[in-house]
């Protein structure tokens, strides 16, 4: 089965649909079949996006992207620092 990439808006919409269906007495398995996702995916989405609004989820994703970019920059700068330190000490093999 091919994997689908859902947008944040789609995930939040499906979680709201699931909440409505669950409140009407359907089981999680039935809801997942209706949404076209596995139970594992449903629980992962609920853990990550449960209770968030669309704008909050977008902000979360933007912050995660920025955090990744900054971590990469710190790693690059640390590597440069170590190379310069080694060159300054003259520890060439």
């Amino acid at each position: 089965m091919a994997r689908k990439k859902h947008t944040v808006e789609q995930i939040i919409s499906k979680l709201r649909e699931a909440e409505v269906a669950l409140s009407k007495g359907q089981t999680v398995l039935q809801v997942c079949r209706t949404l076209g996702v596995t139970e594992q995916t449903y629980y992962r989405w609920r853990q990550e996006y449960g209770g968030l609004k669309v704008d909050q989820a977008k902000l979360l994703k933007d912050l995660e992207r920025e955090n990744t970019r900054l971590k990469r920059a710190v790693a690059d700068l640390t590597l440069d620092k170590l190379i310069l330190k080694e060159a300054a000490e003259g520890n060439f093999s």
Side-chain angles (χ1 to χ4, degrees):
M1 181 188 271
R3 295 186 79 187
K4 294 181 183 178
K5 180 72 174 172
H6 293 70
T7 64
V8 174
E9 294 86 5
Q10 290 171 332
I11 292 171
I12 292 173
S13 172
K14 287 187 178 199
L15 284 174
R16 286 193 181 137
E17 288 177 37
E19 288 176 19
V20 170
L22 288 170
S23 68
K24 291 182 179 178
Q26 289 186 358
T27 65
V28 173
L29 184 60
Q30 292 170 332
V31 171
C32 290
R33 284 185 185 154
T34 305
L35 297 177
V37 297
T38 63
E39 282 187 67
Q40 182 180 5
T41 300
Y42 166 74
Y43 286 118
R44 188 182 61 227
W45 284 354
R46 196 176 77 177
Q47 181 180 5
E48 189 170 348
Y49 299 107
L52 289 181
K53 295 179 181 164
V54 175
D55 57 336
Q56 292 172 327
K58 284 183 180 181
L59 179 62
L60 175 67
K61 285 297 180 183
D62 289 343
L63 290 174
E64 286 174 351
R65 255 191 306 274
E66 178 71 9
N67 193 23
T68 301
R69 186 185 68 78
L70 291 173
K71 283 182 180 180
R72 193 174 301 123
V74 168
D76 290 344
L77 289 173
T78 302
L79 183 61
D80 290 346
K81 177 186 168 192
L82 291 174
I83 291 170
L84 290 172
K85 184 178 179 182
E86 187 174 307
E89 291 175 357
N91 292 340
F92 300 108
S93 299

